[in-house]
Amino acid sequence: MQLNINGQTVEHELDPQMPLLWVLRDVMNLTGTKFGCGVAACGACTVHVNGQATRSCVTPVSSVAGSRITTIESLGSADKPHALQLAWIAEQVPQCGYCQSGMLMAAADLLARKPKPTDEDIDQAMSNICRCGTYQRVKAAIHRAAGASA
Amino acid sequence: MKRRHLLLGSLAATGALVVGWGVLPARSRLGSPDNMLPTEGDIALNGWIKVMPDGKIVLAMHRSEMGQGVHTALSMLAAEELDVPLSHIRLEQAGHDSIYGNVAMFVGSLPFHPSLSEDGNKPATVRTGEWMVGKLARELGINVTGGSSTVADAWQPVREAAATARASLLSAAATQWQVPVTELQVTAGLISHSSGKKGHYGEFAKSASSITPPNVATKDPKNYKLIGQGAQRVDIPQKTNGSAVFGIDVRQPGLLYAAVVQSPLMGGSLSQLDAKAALALNGVLKCIELDSMSGSAAGFAVVGKTTWHAKQAALAVTAKWTQPQQGVVDTARIAKELQAKLDSESGFTFYDLGDVAKAESSAKRSLEATYSAPYLAHATMEPMNCTAQFKNGLLEVWAPTQSPGQARAAAAKAAGIDADKVKIHVTLLGGGFGRRLEVDFITQATKVAMACDGAPVQVIWSREEDMAHDFYRPMHVAQLKASLNAQDQVQSLRIKSAGDTITPRWMARTLPALAGPVDMPDKTASEGLFDLPYGFANQHMSHVATHMGVPVGFWRSVGHSHNAFFSESFIDELAHETKTDPLDYREALLTQAPRYLAVLQLAAQKAGWGSALSKGHAHGIALHESFGSIVAQVAEVSMRDGQPHVHRVVCAIDCGTVVNPSIVAQQMESAVVFALSAALFGKIDIQDGVVQQTNFPSYRMVQMAQAPKVETWIVPSTRPPAGVGEPAVPPLAPAVSNALFVLTGQRKRALPLLA
């Protein structure tokens, strides 16, 4: 099966039913995308498929063959971090950090669709679960990245 | 004589037998250079500090980072005393020497009333108890990250180690340059002299390693450059780009993956296993039976070439389970039994002041209420997991653990090898909250690795396994009774609670050599009830310890998490019953507790207590001390679609000296959201031995849309640092519930509020 992951085309023999999450983590060793619930309830596994936030734990890999898959590892680069990554540091968002890859990918999708989201937009778009309770800093960081005041 | 004093008396007597040892101060925790792993070019100066050739510093990191910011806070302590920027500190996992053991947490587990533990006001029993337990803990050297104790415990040893290293380095420079050491200056790790000589730490490390400086003093707080500043956390950049390594991110060459299935019947065992169909599947290697060990549930593991292959194969295994001999646990039945225990047993007295019986008999009237709180799961975002490899007689374990020493002992026991043949690598923890003080998942990974012929294997639990096989916050119930005189003043307060005690169970699972044949009274059962700050003249607080068969464990803020809901709701009931403003009511009872009063008033003032709120909104207030810190919270709540919505929570905290106020604010925000999930939705039900909640949809969490705005205000203090990770959990549920009472006129006496 041919996959386009983070701008590179890779070829792997894969069970078509295997969720994208485990292909990324256990086959590609791209471990930034996390396993949290396995039922698309927590958002820790969020990646972009053709730019759209997608919960990879319930996405059969065959359904994204030929699609553009982006993971946290290529949201930005060391030279050119994504505005959200800089905002995440400025607002000191992460605590344990486990859910933050998913949070960032969900937020990046939101900003791509709505460059100046309101609090209500953020409440609606960001359903990811964080047990450390970073929500208010996530919100502040999204506003910061959007260039608006929190 | 109170039983508590008898207990301490025997402890003191044991100590007195070892007369010389008993009176000497606890052994130094400076350690020796041998305690640090030798690395090419680096020179260790003691058990905590190594100097790199470029002058940067390696700090032995003995505690686990699970989001609470300890990698940053402890780095700040070392950087402060060494006069280097925070960016000059590298971290290296500490070894297993007893200098890294946790002393503060064990001293904090003594059941003393906080009013007795204020500095300068300690009776002999308190001083003796703390002295002896401190010395014992120093000798035992148990390295656990818990009890909000990391900064409090590391405050002396890490600063002393850094200050001692600095003194050695300066002494070496002074000798080499032949100038008085008092004329040297250090700026950003660069030693300089007015003669123009300068050099970084790395240039003097070798000669410093043979110098033992006498009488090193730590910095005068007025010279602090870092401590007290909101420095950026050192672990955050890697947590924004996917490069942070948690337990499940360990990748060794040839790594295999294992899915675990444990008895769905709590405490049950495996009676039949047929893995033929599973083993026939593509990418599946092994099926391994797992006995119950170190608290782990019985079950089996399936090993595959990816987690998904292992999970799929686990579904194809046919297993039969036998219910435990003691019968099937059921939370509805446990609730009834706890109530019956409260009615029939007197329990252990944790606090007795004045004469409650006499006060009750002369009272005009009384107010009584029964409160309850359910079992709770930890639900860390990173499910339980552990990676292990057994090769050439050596066992390597990569684990997100809060207890590396106990993990090593448990792994050695499971492998049947000596502990010195086990290497524990502590990864970042995707949440801990007390769950990772346990070692069940360590023994499982060890057992699986032992069967994998030298290959590394990663054991990962599904969310469903994680939720059904937790060590739960125990269900507790409490009866509270206040007697009032004709002027409606409280004459006495009597609280009796019942529920499982945690510490004896945890000791048996993780420190079996120290677990006694009988359960000692456990402070965690009564904390938050026996230790109230209010000036009631007559008080009696007792707890009936039970053992209901559900595995119970430490859950962020432990007994305080439910007991503050009981006590601070009841105080609110008393205020309303006597038609007094809840803030005024508390203030009047705190005239002898000025630190509590200051925290309470700060929260009330910043929240605008008493001022007009939006229509349909109400304030609730609560005050609680835990882990040496006092937190007050004012919650602003309204009803939205028939459900409570918390708009804003104002927190005030006195946690002693603050190392990093930005981390304190993070932890206040964190605790509020964590506690709000529990207060609104949290409960674990067990029916016929089976946990009913299976994943996040049925064990609901606060999400962005329900998260309140949290504000943090810190009371300045020069006292030693106290806890920060847990103390803002306990007051949240009563603050919200007290606001709800104003809104609805209905008093909630059982959690969760949305039952």
Side-chain angles (χ1 to χ4, degrees), chain A residues 131, chain B residues 331 373-379 433 435 466-467 469-476 550-558 561-562 674-686 691 693 699-701 729 733 751-752:
Chain A
R131 286 290 275 153
Chain B
T331 41
Y375 287 96
L376 290 177
H378 295 81
F433 316 127
R435 176 61 179 87
D466 190 274
M467 205 157 276
H469 298 283
D470 202 342
F471 297 86
Y472 303 92
R473 196 279 300 274
M475 178 187 282
H476 273 228
V550 176
V552 293
F554 300 111
W555 186 94
R556 194 175 188 178
S557 82
V558 198
S561 72
H562 45 80
F674 190 87
L676 186 58
S677 286
L680 293 178
F681 318 118
K683 66 174 173 146
I684 289 288
D685 299 310
I686 305 160
V691 174
Q693 287 74 16
Y699 192 65
R700 194 176 158 192
M701 295 293 149
V729 172
L751 291 175

Side-chain angles (χ1 to χ4, degrees), chain B residues 81 146 203 323 347 366 424 452 462 543 570 605 612 703 725:
Chain B
E81 293 295 337
E203 297 168 40
Q323 75 172 53
S366 66
I424 302 283
C452 282
S462 65
H543 180 79
F570 192 65
Q605 179 219 328
Q703 287 161 289

Side-chain angles (χ1 to χ4, degrees), chain B residues 199-218:
Chain B
H200 63 67
Y201 282 155
E203 297 168 40
F204 305 101
K206 192 155 176 28
S207 33
S209 65
S210 58
I211 297 170
T212 309
N215 305 325
V216 173
T218 51

Side-chain angles (χ1 to χ4, degrees), chain B residues 470-490:
Chain B
D470 202 342
F471 297 86
Y472 303 92
R473 196 279 300 274
M475 178 187 282
H476 273 228
V477 297
Q479 282 171 344
L480 300 95
K481 179 180 179 184
S483 68
L484 296 95
N485 65 12
Q487 291 78 46
D488 263 352
Q489 291 160 325
V490 170

Side-chain angles (χ1 to χ4, degrees), chain B residues 413-436:
Chain B
K413 188 175 158 193
I417 59 176
D418 290 338
D420 62 5
K421 301 286 184 217
V422 181
K423 169 81 184 150
I424 302 283
H425 304 272
V426 179
T427 64
L428 290 171
L429 281 62
F433 316 127
R435 176 61 179 87
R436 292 186 156 106

Side-chain angles (χ1 to χ4, degrees), chain A:
Chain A
M1 193 180 297
Q2 224 178 44
L3 294 172
N4 180 338
I5 300 178
N6 296 336
Q8 304 206 318
T9 304
V10 291
E11 180 85 41
H12 279 284
E13 211 167 293
L14 296 166
D15 184 325
Q17 287 308 304
M18 187 168 175
L20 174 61
L21 170 68
W22 301 112
V23 175
L24 294 171
R25 292 189 52 83
D26 295 358
V27 180
M28 309 287 300
N29 285 336
L30 289 169
T31 55
T33 305
K34 303 301 188 217
F35 164 62
C37 68
V39 295
C42 78
C45 66
T46 306
V47 298
H48 291 174
V49 175
N50 294 332
Q52 206 170 1
T54 303
R55 297 196 170 177
S56 63
C57 71
V58 293
T59 303
V61 65
S62 55
S63 72
V64 294
S67 302
R68 204 159 30 84
I69 300 159
T70 309
T71 70
I72 184 69
E73 284 87 353
S74 72
L75 179 65
S77 64
D79 302 338
K80 199 167 175 272
H82 191 283
L84 282 165
Q85 291 172 313
L86 295 174
W88 244 242
I89 294 170
E91 296 290 342
Q92 294 283 285
V93 174
Q95 290 183 34
C96 93
Y98 192 82
C99 73
Q100 299 295 337
S101 298
M103 283 278 187
L104 279 157
M105 297 310 280
D109 178 33
L110 169 65
L111 283 190
R113 286 184 286 114
K114 272 205 168 126
K116 303 273 179 201
T118 62
D119 278 355
E120 290 68 33
D121 293 333
I122 296 172
D123 283 350
Q124 246 176 22
M126 302 291 293
S127 58
N128 302 46
I129 293 174
C130 171
R131 286 290 275 153
C132 300
T134 61
Y135 300 117
Q136 86 178 31
R137 287 177 193 251
V138 167
K139 193 176 271 181
I142 292 172
H143 284 307
R144 179 187 277 264
S149 59

Side-chain angles (χ1 to χ4, degrees), chain B residues 133-153:
Chain B
V133 169
K135 280 181 66 86
L136 281 166
R138 166 66 185 90
E139 294 307 317
L140 290 169
I142 298 165
N143 179 3
V144 292
T145 305
S148 293
S149 64
T150 295
V151 169
D153 181 73

